Amino acid sequence: LSRDDLRTALAHKMGYPLVDIARFPIDTQAARKLSYKAMTEHNALPLMQAGERLIVAVDDLVRIPRLQALHALAQLKVIPVLASRGRIALALAGLPQRLGNDLWADNVPLRLQALQSGPGQL
């Protein structure tokens, strides 16, 4: 019995849907409902908003009770779905670029000063 098989069986038993994030389009408006820090701290990825509900992917059933903190931040009822830990990590890593708020990209100058100076000059 693999870890994925166990997660699938538990998800079915507990009534939580499984989501393949690689195939599920992430709604950027829903992702903006939470701060990036909150998403990474909870290892939770907002996927979509349905009315007053925010559908959030998590990788472990143990995380679900702690999602109430996200409810307070988003001002929406948080509905958990299960996804693979690796897929969530990859999606979270690429999320700042998708949302247009890549903090590192804002700090990289268009031309590096060291490359503009002549030889021996720094």
Side-chain angles (χ1 to χ4, degrees), residues 16 34 42 44 54 56 58 62-80:
Y16 293 107
L34 296 174
H42 292 278
L54 184 64
V56 178
V58 295
V62 175
R63 293 187 193 280
I64 291 172
R66 291 184 258 158
L67 293 180
Q68 294 310 312
L70 298 180
H71 169 73
L73 294 172
Q75 297 298 307
L76 297 167
K77 182 177 180 182
V78 176
I79 307 296

Side-chain angles (χ1 to χ4, degrees), residues 16 40 47 56 60 64 67 76 93 108 110 115 118-119:
Y16 293 107
T40 56
L47 298 175
V56 178
D60 193 350
I64 291 172
L67 293 180
L76 297 167
V108 176
L110 294 177
L115 295 175

Side-chain angles (χ1 to χ4, degrees), residues 1-2 9 14 18 24 31 33 38 54-55 58 60 62 68 75-76 89 91 95 100-101 104 114 120-121:
L1 187 65
S2 74
M14 302 293 286
L18 289 171
F24 195 95
K33 298 291 181 184
L54 184 64
I55 312 303
V58 295
D60 193 350
V62 175
Q68 294 310 312
Q75 297 298 307
L76 297 167
L95 196 58
N101 57 356
W104 290 107
Q121 301 173 350

Side-chain angles (χ1 to χ4, degrees), residues 20-59:
D20 182 0
I21 294 177
R23 295 180 178 190
F24 195 95
I26 298 169
D27 179 8
T28 55
Q29 294 301 322
R32 285 186 173 96
K33 298 291 181 184
L34 296 174
S35 70
Y36 187 71
K37 181 178 178 181
M39 287 185 251
T40 56
E41 284 178 4
H42 292 278
N43 201 33
L45 177 66
L47 298 175
M48 65 180 280
Q49 183 177 346
E52 295 297 314
R53 299 176 298 174
L54 184 64
I55 312 303
V56 178
V58 295
D59 65 334

